[in-house]
Amino acid sequence: MSAEERPEDSAPVPGPEPAPAPHPGPAPVLDPGPAAAAGSGGPVSITVCPDGPLLVRGGYELLDGEDRPIDPGRATVALCRCGASSIKPFCDGSHKRARFRAR
Ligand code: FES
């Protein structure tokens, strides 16, 4: 060990904190548009996006498999129909990487 090297100098330096696991967060919205303001009420519409999710707008209620409410956190939700999303039942855009084709 040279005079320039001291044990405390070679102690491991803590690196950056590991990134926290991604939190699914609220459902992504694909262009909610002006109808978003009516998302908590009004007639329900479901738009089938070509090779993508189902966009649900209006006075819908989202329930899990045991009829418990799921708070989508927003007026318009994009529901996955490709099966590749990591935040099911919501779309996370994975359909593009999966090259999902509806037909
Ligand atoms: S439809 Fe978008 S991730 Fe499945």
Side-chain angles (χ1 to χ4, degrees), residues 4 10 12 16 21 32-33 36 47-49 60 62-63 66 73 77 83 86 89 100:
E4 297 172 5
S10 61
T47 303
V48 179
C49 295
Y60 64 86
L62 187 60
L63 305 173
E66 297 175 1
V77 292
S86 62
F100 172 67

Side-chain angles (χ1 to χ4, degrees), residues 32-40 57 75-76:
S40 60
R57 299 178 175 99
T76 300

Side-chain angles (χ1 to χ4, degrees), residues 23-29 70-78 85 87 89-92:
H23 187 278
V29 170
I70 298 172
D71 180 5
R74 53 192 64 204
T76 300
V77 292
S85 174
I87 57 169
F90 306 111
C91 169
D92 68 356

Side-chain angles (χ1 to χ4, degrees), residues 32 35 38-39 41-48 54-60 75-77 79:
V44 175
S45 70
I46 301 174
T47 303
V48 179
L54 302 173
L55 295 183
V56 183
R57 299 178 175 99
Y60 64 86
T76 300
V77 292
L79 298 179

Side-chain angles (χ1 to χ4, degrees), residues 52-53 80-85 91-95:
C80 175
R81 69 177 172 136
C82 76
S85 174
C91 169
D92 68 356
S94 294
H95 58 272

